[in-house]
Amino acid sequence: MSDEPALLKLLHKLESRSPLDDGDRTAILDLPHVRRSHEASAYVLRAKDRVRDRCGFVLSGLAFRQKLAAGGARQIVSLHMVGDFLDLQHLFLDRADHSVQALSRIEIVEIDRAALQDMALRRPAVGRALWIEALVEASILREWVLNVGRRDARGRIAHLLCELWVRMEAAGMEVRGGYRLPLTQEQIGDAVGLTSVHVNRTFRLLAEEGLITRDRRTVRSNDLEGLRSAAAFCPLYLHLGEAGAI
Amino acid sequence: MSDEPALLKLLHKLESRSPLDDGDRTAILDLPHVRRSHEASAYVLRAKDRVRDRCGFVLSGLAFRQKLAAGGARQIVSLHMVGDFLDLQHLFLDRADHSVQALSRIEIVEIDRAALQDMALRRPAVGRALWIEALVEASILREWVLNVGRRDARGRIAHLLCELWVRMEAAGMEVRGGYRLPLTQEQIGDAVGLTSVHVNRTFRLLAEEGLITRDRRTVRSNDLEGLRSAAAFCPLYLHLGEAGAI
DNA sequence: CGACTCGTTGAGTGATATCAAACCCGGTGG
DNA sequence: CCACCGGGTTTGATATCACTCAACGAGTCG
């Protein structure tokens, strides 16, 4: 339970994106850092604040990014899990343009921001890995714009479920025919631009179609193909196959 | 009309994001490059293609990024103008997750991709500037998710108009009480997740409210404050004040 | 002048929101 | 062990925003 494993996880993640040499590896493992955890719904970062001098990397649990519209409407703009960076999006920006919040209890490593900036700019292999991380996140944002802008309720939710399915698998989480989704229906609505009531009805619809089954907060599917086609899900945008150089 | 000015424009853009030294400047001006132009609606890059080995930087004209949903519905996920990079989003990714298309006739400089990657990874000051560019673009994407997910038609269009207003001014384009918006109403709809018919009605509504006036494809406003408040526009997400380090 | 694309408008429909109530379940305290 | 409480879920009834379909008008290009 030392914090050695924490940086190892970070190392593995980066290495999966770009080949590193020994210098890179030891530099990563030498990064000044602190382990922390947040309770569900705790803020990791608040919109409009000055960006913190530590950068979080998720070790376990889920988190999300959030923006508020006038009138208090909320939009969740991304979801994050093991192996995701929480502050890469602000690595070189000084004002937070959105909030980051824990969804469930999460554990993170906080890395010194200046040190991470330095790695990004002065260690090409690490820099490449970080670039890829940031670019993939932007790609997911584009898919979310499409999701919210051009799919109906059924497609939106099906797509969200497919995306999480694939991302969780890729992140090495336990996904065997289903997974735990610790979002309330209201939060799901905030992620896909719907009302909690309509999310509920749409879940029922998907269940009636035999595409999913639900129990508490776990979602399962015996018909993943059906779900994918309901979502018109194409995982290219997750850039999973690419290690940066093919 | 040599292409000297092209790289100078690029240089100025980068310098506005991060202070550069002489070595950076000459490296930028030495970048292998080609000047090109595209006719309106020409593709600069197609989704699912292998990413090209040149990176475009806009000198004049407008371009947009686009994704298709099943059934042919289209979503425009971003708009670009002078001083924007067209391929930064794929700088370290190998498959295009979206298409890039010219909106009006555009002029671009195409920079050798490997050379730009190299600058990003090996010239810290330039790398920082490129990071900021990419991160701001992601920030705009988050705002678009919010726009499409949580604002009504009036708010969405007002917000788009405000964003373009501010970005065009910041890019040094001529904006004096109004600007030319070379999008068809259908394209505007594709950008904000509405039908062209509804875009039309909403424009009329905004005009009736005295928030805008239209003539052909130019939009003007005598009541920018009113328009901003209709959009609940807060320009923080454009990160214009920040040079990267405050 | 005809053909086309884009903008405008009307009428009818449909998807999603809103409001409100009941229910379910886990947690807490008597 | 039961009663209660509170957040989340489920369901119904109704309202509304935005979509669809369809026609017409206006500008542009050959």
Side-chain angles (χ1 to χ4, degrees):
Chain A
M1 285 302 125
S2 82
D3 47 14
E4 188 64 11
L7 286 185
L8 264 181
K9 233 166 193 164
L10 172 62
L11 174 61
H12 292 326
K13 174 71 181 204
L14 294 173
E15 212 153 18
S16 78
R17 292 296 196 185
S18 167
L20 305 178
D21 66 25
D22 285 345
D24 297 324
R25 289 196 198 94
T26 61
I28 290 169
L29 296 176
D30 279 349
L31 242 19
H33 67 286
V34 169
R35 224 168 200 272
R36 284 201 59 179
S37 61
H38 291 275
E39 292 311 314
S41 93
Y43 278 85
V44 176
L45 176 66
R46 280 177 193 276
K48 307 200 180 180
D49 277 6
R50 216 159 190 310
V51 171
R52 308 168 314 145
D53 56 359
R54 332 225 115 207
C55 286
F57 174 80
V58 181
L59 298 174
S60 72
L62 295 184
F64 62 95
R65 301 184 194 280
Q66 181 203 351
K67 299 194 72 153
L68 293 178
R74 178 174 67 166
Q75 178 71 42
I76 291 178
V77 298
S78 64
L79 290 170
H80 298 284
M81 59 189 72
V82 219
D84 287 345
F85 287 85
L86 295 181
D87 300 87
L88 210 50
Q89 292 295 318
H90 287 126
L91 187 58
F92 293 97
L93 300 174
D94 293 318
R95 286 282 159 198
D97 54 65
H98 64 273
S99 302
V100 179
Q101 230 174 318
L103 191 54
S104 55
R105 178 188 164 75
I106 60 171
E107 287 188 293
I108 64 181
V109 218
E110 292 194 337
I111 298 149
D112 184 73
R113 187 178 187 230
L116 196 63
Q117 287 183 336
D118 220 60
M119 299 272 282
L121 299 178
R122 299 198 142 79
R123 292 208 160 258
V126 181
R128 166 183 291 263
L130 292 171
W131 263 102
I132 293 173
E133 278 302 301
L135 293 181
V136 170
E137 200 174 330
S139 174
I140 294 173
L141 284 169
R142 285 187 287 273
E143 186 68 34
W144 279 43
V145 174
L146 171 64
N147 201 36
V148 166
R150 285 295 183 220
R151 279 196 264 261
D152 64 9
R154 176 171 172 271
R156 285 185 212 184
I157 291 186
H159 197 278
L160 179 67
L161 294 178
C162 288
E163 176 178 314
L164 290 177
W165 193 295
V166 172
R167 285 175 60 192
M168 284 180 173
E169 260 182 348
M173 295 172 69
E174 192 59 26
V175 180
R176 205 149 284 151
Y179 56 88
R180 186 135 197 298
L181 217 203
L183 299 206
T184 65
Q185 294 185 353
E186 183 161 16
Q187 289 168 329
I188 294 172
D190 286 340
V192 297
L194 296 171
T195 298
S196 65
V197 173
H198 204 62
V199 169
N200 185 285
R201 297 195 218 275
T202 307
F203 265 124
R204 176 156 52 118
L205 176 70
L206 290 171
E208 283 167 2
E209 289 185 85
L211 297 178
I212 60 170
T213 59
R214 289 170 300 151
D215 170 41
R216 306 291 184 78
R217 297 229 175 133
T218 84
V219 185
R220 348 196 99 264
S221 175
N222 322 314
D223 184 8
L224 196 49
E225 268 324 300
L227 190 62
R228 284 193 180 216
S229 90
F233 183 76
C234 167
L236 173 68
Y237 74 100
L238 294 172
H239 295 280
L240 291 171
E242 307 180 27
I246 285 182
Chain B
M1 284 305 122
S2 83
D3 47 15
E4 188 63 10
L7 288 184
L8 265 181
K9 232 166 194 164
L10 173 62
L11 175 61
H12 292 326
K13 175 71 181 203
L14 294 173
E15 213 154 18
S16 77
R17 292 298 197 184
S18 167
L20 306 178
D21 65 25
D22 285 345
D24 298 324
R25 288 196 199 94
T26 60
I28 290 169
L29 296 177
D30 280 348
L31 242 17
H33 67 284
V34 170
R35 227 170 200 272
R36 283 201 59 178
S37 62
H38 291 276
E39 293 310 314
S41 92
Y43 278 85
V44 177
L45 176 66
R46 281 178 192 275
K48 308 198 179 180
D49 277 6
R50 218 159 189 310
V51 170
R52 308 168 314 144
D53 56 358
R54 331 225 117 208
C55 286
F57 175 80
V58 181
L59 298 173
S60 73
L62 295 184
F64 63 95
R65 300 185 195 278
Q66 181 204 351
K67 297 193 73 150
L68 293 177
R74 177 174 68 165
Q75 178 70 42
I76 291 177
V77 298
S78 64
L79 290 170
H80 298 283
M81 59 189 71
V82 219
D84 287 344
F85 287 86
L86 295 181
D87 300 88
L88 210 50
Q89 292 295 318
H90 287 126
L91 187 57
F92 293 98
L93 299 175
D94 293 317
R95 285 284 157 196
D97 54 64
H98 64 272
S99 302
V100 178
Q101 229 175 319
L103 191 54
S104 55
R105 179 187 161 75
I106 60 172
E107 287 187 295
I108 64 181
V109 218
E110 293 193 337
I111 299 150
D112 184 72
R113 187 177 187 231
L116 196 63
Q117 288 182 336
D118 219 60
M119 300 272 282
L121 299 178
R122 300 196 139 79
R123 291 208 161 260
V126 180
R128 167 184 291 262
L130 292 171
W131 263 99
I132 293 172
E133 279 302 300
L135 293 181
V136 170
E137 199 173 331
S139 175
I140 294 174
L141 284 169
R142 285 187 288 272
E143 186 69 32
W144 280 42
V145 174
L146 172 63
N147 201 37
V148 165
R150 284 298 184 217
R151 280 195 263 260
D152 64 10
R154 177 171 170 270
R156 285 185 211 184
I157 290 186
H159 197 278
L160 179 68
L161 295 178
C162 287
E163 176 179 314
L164 290 177
W165 194 296
V166 172
R167 285 175 62 191
M168 284 181 173
E169 259 181 348
M173 295 171 68
E174 194 54 30
V175 180
R176 204 148 283 150
Y179 56 89
R180 186 136 197 298
L181 217 204
L183 298 208
T184 66
Q185 294 186 351
E186 184 162 14
Q187 289 169 329
I188 294 172
D190 286 340
V192 297
L194 296 171
T195 298
S196 64
V197 173
H198 205 60
V199 169
N200 184 286
R201 298 195 216 277
T202 307
F203 265 123
R204 176 154 54 119
L205 175 70
L206 290 172
E208 282 167 3
E209 289 184 85
L211 296 179
I212 60 170
T213 59
R214 288 171 299 152
D215 170 41
R216 305 292 186 81
R217 297 223 177 140
T218 84
V219 185
R220 345 196 100 264
S221 175
N222 321 314
D223 183 9
L224 196 49
E225 268 324 299
L227 190 61
R228 284 192 180 218
S229 89
F233 183 76
C234 167
L236 173 68
Y237 75 99
L238 295 171
H239 296 280
L240 291 171
E242 307 179 27
I246 286 183

